[in-house]
Amino acid sequence: MSKFKKKKGGDLPAISTASLPDIVFMLLFFFMVATVMRQNTLKIENRLPRADQTEKLAKRNLLMYIYAGKPSSAYKDMGTVARLQLNDKFASVNEIAAFIAAERDSKREEEKPFLTTVLSVDKETNMGLVSDIKQELRKVNALKINYKTAPGNPIDR
């Protein structure tokens, strides 16, 4: 007789599922933190003009976006003339001052000098609307302005 006996069945032990909820919640937490939500829903047509010498702006949290263009097909009841969009709503030019003030108030004091206004203007928009927007930005001392463009050759259509 031998002192040690071999096991007869070579069955694998059952996999423990005790840590499975922990793994699921870790994945859920990771995707909640890593996902970036869309900030604004465009209600206007925004075919950007092309430019060949463009730069990406570094800090996206210091940007204030003003959109201008004709209302998109879902908002044709708003007319066919170029409109202004601030955040998720149509606005008039005289609402820009309140928009800039609200954006400045939402930032920390040391970030306020670095705030930049980004004009995302459709290429078919009249320059009169852009000029009115720039006049309002001057009134509230928002003098850092960038124009959003699409990369490409400006001569090509």
Side-chain angles (χ1 to χ4, degrees):
M1 284 206 162
S2 69
K3 205 174 202 183
F4 301 103
K5 292 185 179 182
K6 288 188 177 180
K7 290 185 180 178
K8 297 281 183 188
D11 295 341
L12 293 174
I15 297 174
S16 173
T17 59
S19 64
L20 194 59
D22 295 337
I23 294 169
V24 169
F25 282 115
M26 261 190 345
L27 285 172
L28 178 67
F29 183 72
F30 170 77
F31 285 115
M32 284 174 50
V33 170
T35 302
V36 177
M37 303 301 280
R38 177 185 290 171
Q39 290 180 338
N40 296 321
T41 303
L42 280 182
K43 297 180 178 181
I44 61 167
E45 292 179 7
N46 203 324
R47 296 176 312 249
L48 297 173
R50 298 194 178 275
D52 56 359
Q53 297 178 3
T54 60
E55 293 180 23
K56 279 197 175 242
L57 297 176
K59 293 192 174 187
R60 294 183 58 92
N61 63 332
L62 298 177
L63 302 178
M64 302 175 287
Y65 287 92
I66 297 177
Y67 302 96
K70 294 179 185 176
S72 64
S73 59
Y75 299 96
K76 285 297 181 192
D77 59 327
M78 299 300 290
T80 58
V81 241
R83 300 285 311 259
L84 186 67
Q85 180 182 340
L86 303 173
N87 288 335
D88 278 337
K89 68 180 185 81
F90 288 111
S92 64
V93 175
N94 32 345
E95 293 179 49
I96 292 176
F99 169 71
I100 297 294
E103 288 290 320
R104 283 181 178 160
D105 290 341
S106 69
K107 304 296 181 199
R108 294 192 317 245
E109 193 64 39
E110 61 269 9
E111 291 177 335
K112 289 181 183 180
F114 302 108
L115 286 174
T116 303
T117 306
V118 178
L119 295 180
S120 183
V121 181
D122 185 69
K123 63 182 175 183
E124 300 295 325
T125 303
N126 290 337
M127 198 57 200
L129 179 61
V130 177
S131 178
D132 292 344
I133 293 170
K134 288 171 59 176
Q135 289 295 331
E136 281 296 313
L137 290 173
R138 283 186 195 125
K139 288 179 186 175
V140 293
N141 203 23
L143 304 177
K144 285 186 174 183
I145 300 174
N146 277 353
Y147 291 93
K148 188 175 179 181
T149 62
N153 190 353
I155 298 172
D156 295 341
R157 291 221 161 214

